[in-house]
């Protein structure tokens, strides 16, 4: 029996190291037991991405849950995670859902993501209960499920969020890269439907994703960057493996990092769309987001790292947008989870409304809020070392770092040091992997690298 432990984004494992029919069946049986006891004979929705054997695993999960007495509906086609989550949130009879996906992980990984009745990922309490409820071996019972079209209503809904006539009249040329993931075909189609000239790359089914990782960051976005320039597109849009995150490429082939994309989106929502409300961001996000919120005159609340930490705050009806360090964007009025396709439509609307190149909008943003140089570095450890480091980290309190005395020290989520010039660094142990994550931000790359190197040295010396 393999050990199954759920992290912040569900459970993932390599195909040759635990992701198999037995594990999926055990998870499906455990979650069905909980849901059947809580709300007998409720509806459960199931979706799957484009990975090898995802469809077969989704069918298996549907059969196992149906055998427990639940009414199970499996998406009749490839289904992005946001489409499944939104569909659950709009179904009054749904108790939750199960998505077969490993999101941005490499092609040799599979995974299971559990969604609650509002479409948000399962809480830690629910996952702990599931881990205690799962049977030690795969159940034998199988039931019948039905198939359902989850995509048409979802796509119609996200299109209703934007000004379709405005976008159509802008005659934009867009490069779309779904990275062989669950967004394949969908984003390109709806953009064409509203008048964009779209070229899609990395589409279709490839068991190995043609060697790329479906993670919208360097170097995996190289083809989209080059294609945006060579095709003279106005912008490139890159989705991750399950289409819950977006990255944008400007017309010059430069990737917009979250510290740029999120403030631009905030500007669009507040200035162009006249929206108002609070922004939620994790403490590992760039200070550019905080500065932009102040410039726009909207409140910002910071939470501990992890999108799951943002959910507790989303019940406030005043929340306009929530985001985390990777650039995932949630519009709570849509539903309480990230949606890369909706974020893409909003960025296209922004480009159409401003009628300026994306690179020019970037330059205007930097003039308004200043330059921020942000970076992250991951340090892997063995399990014994990471456990020791987790115990030691709350007591780590350096008087200086890189020759700078901290203005404030926080142990709320690892260790975060903020300095009088606005620069900062943060050290935290991953909750799900034997890894320490180090963040640093300053006004230029030289100062940021000094902080990063000093923080790395602090971690290594402290873990000896």
């Amino acid at each position: 029996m393999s050990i199954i432990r759920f992290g912040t984004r569900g459970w993932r494992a390599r195909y040759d190291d635990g992701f198999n029919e037995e594990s999926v069946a055990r998870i499906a049986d455990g979650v069905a037991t909980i849901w059947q006891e809580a709300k007998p004979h409720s509806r459960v929705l199931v979706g799957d991405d484009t990975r090898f054997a995802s469809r077969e695993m989704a069918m298996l999960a549907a059969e196992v849950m149906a055998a427990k007495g639940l009414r199970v509906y499996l998406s009749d086609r490839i289904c992005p995670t946001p489409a499944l989550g939104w569909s659950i949130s709009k179904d009054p009879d749904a108790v939750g859902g199960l998505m077969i996906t490993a999101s941005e992980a490499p092609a040799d990984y599979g995974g299971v993501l559990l969604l609650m009745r509002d479409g948000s990922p399962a809480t830690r309490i629910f996952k702990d209960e599931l881990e205690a409820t799962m049977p030690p071996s795969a159940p034998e019972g199988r039931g019948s499920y039905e198939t359902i079209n989850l995509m048409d209503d979802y796509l119609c809904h996200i299109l209703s969020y934007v000004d379709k006539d405005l976008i159509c009249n802008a005659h934009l040329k867009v490069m779309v890269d779904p990275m062989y993931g669950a967004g394949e075909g969908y984003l390109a189609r709806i953009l064409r439907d509203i008048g964009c000239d779209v070229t899609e790359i990395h589409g279709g089914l490839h068991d190995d994703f043609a060697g790329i990782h479906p993670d919208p960051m360097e170097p995996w976005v190289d083809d989209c960057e080059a294609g945006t320039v060579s095709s003279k597109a106005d912008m490139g849009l890159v989705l991750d493996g399950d289409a819950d995150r977006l990255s944008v490429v400007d017309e010059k082939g430069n990737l917009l990092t979250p510290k740029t994309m999120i403030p631009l989106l905030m500007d669009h929502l507040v200035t162009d769309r006249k929206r108002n409300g609070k922004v939620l961001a994790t403490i590992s996000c760039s200070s550019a987001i905080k500065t932009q919120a102040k410039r726009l005159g909207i409140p910002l609340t910071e939470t501990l790292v992890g999108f799951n930490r943002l959910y507790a705050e989303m019940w406030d009806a005043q929340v306009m947008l929530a985001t985390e360090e990777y650039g995932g964007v949630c519009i709570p009025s849509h539903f309480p989870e990230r949606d890369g396709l909706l974020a893409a439509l909003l960025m296209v609307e922004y480009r159409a409304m401003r009628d300026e190149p994306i690179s020019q909008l970037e330059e205007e943003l930097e003039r308004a809020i200043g330059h921020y140089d942000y970076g992250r570095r991951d340090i892997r450890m063995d399990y014994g070392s990471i456990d020791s480091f987790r115990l030691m980290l709350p007591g780590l309190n350096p008087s200086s770092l890189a020759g700078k005395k901290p203005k404030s020290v926080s142990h709320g989520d690892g260790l975060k040091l903020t300095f009088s010039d606005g620069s900062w660094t943060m050290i935290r142990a991953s909750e799900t992997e034997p890894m320490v994550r180090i963040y640093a931000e300053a006004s230029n790359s030289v100062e940021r690298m000094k902080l990063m190197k000093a923080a790395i040295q602090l971690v290594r010396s402290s873990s000896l």
Side-chain angles (χ1 to χ4, degrees), residues 151-291:
M151 293 308 303
D152 288 351
D153 286 348
Y154 163 75
L155 293 174
C156 182
H157 175 74
I158 61 173
L159 276 172
S160 72
Y161 260 76
V162 296
D163 188 332
K164 297 182 283 294
D165 291 336
L166 173 74
I167 294 172
C168 183
N169 292 332
H171 305 293
L172 296 177
K173 191 171 187 179
V174 183
M175 174 72 63
V176 171
D177 184 359
M179 308 193 92
Y180 298 112
E184 187 266 328
Y186 296 127
L187 181 57
R189 187 184 94 196
I190 59 177
L191 287 174
R192 290 187 182 113
D193 287 347
I194 56 176
C196 294
D197 179 0
V198 179
T199 300
E200 184 181 67
I201 61 172
H202 297 155
L205 298 178
H206 286 261
D207 288 348
D208 63 352
F209 296 153
I212 69 169
H213 293 185
D215 193 359
M217 60 185 295
E218 305 286 3
W220 313 116
V221 296
D222 286 356
D223 288 347
C224 186
E225 291 173 333
T228 300
V229 174
S230 63
S231 66
K232 298 182 180 180
D234 295 293
M235 61 197 304
L237 302 171
V238 191
L239 298 169
D240 75 339
D242 65 340
D244 69 351
R245 283 195 297 124
L246 168 78
S247 287
V248 176
V249 175
D250 70 20
E251 80 285 355
K252 295 181 179 180
N254 299 312
L255 179 70
L256 275 63
T257 58
K259 72 179 179 67
T260 300
M261 189 190 81
I262 301 303
L264 288 176
L265 183 54
M266 291 165 60
D267 183 35
H268 177 48
L269 292 174
V270 175
T271 306
D272 300 331
R273 294 175 61 97
K274 309 304 179 186
R275 295 283 302 277
N276 202 357
K278 182 191 300 183
V279 170
L280 302 179
T282 57
I283 61 173
S284 55
C285 285
S286 168
S287 296
I289 296 171
K290 184 186 300 184
T291 303

Side-chain angles (χ1 to χ4, degrees), residues 16-43:
D16 61 0
D17 189 27
F19 186 78
N20 51 42
E21 291 185 355
E22 179 180 15
S23 295
V24 171
R26 288 173 58 207
I27 292 170
D29 185 87
V31 73
T33 297
I34 295 172
W35 281 338
Q36 177 67 359
E37 291 179 358
K39 195 176 178 183
H41 311 299
S42 296
R43 284 166 59 102

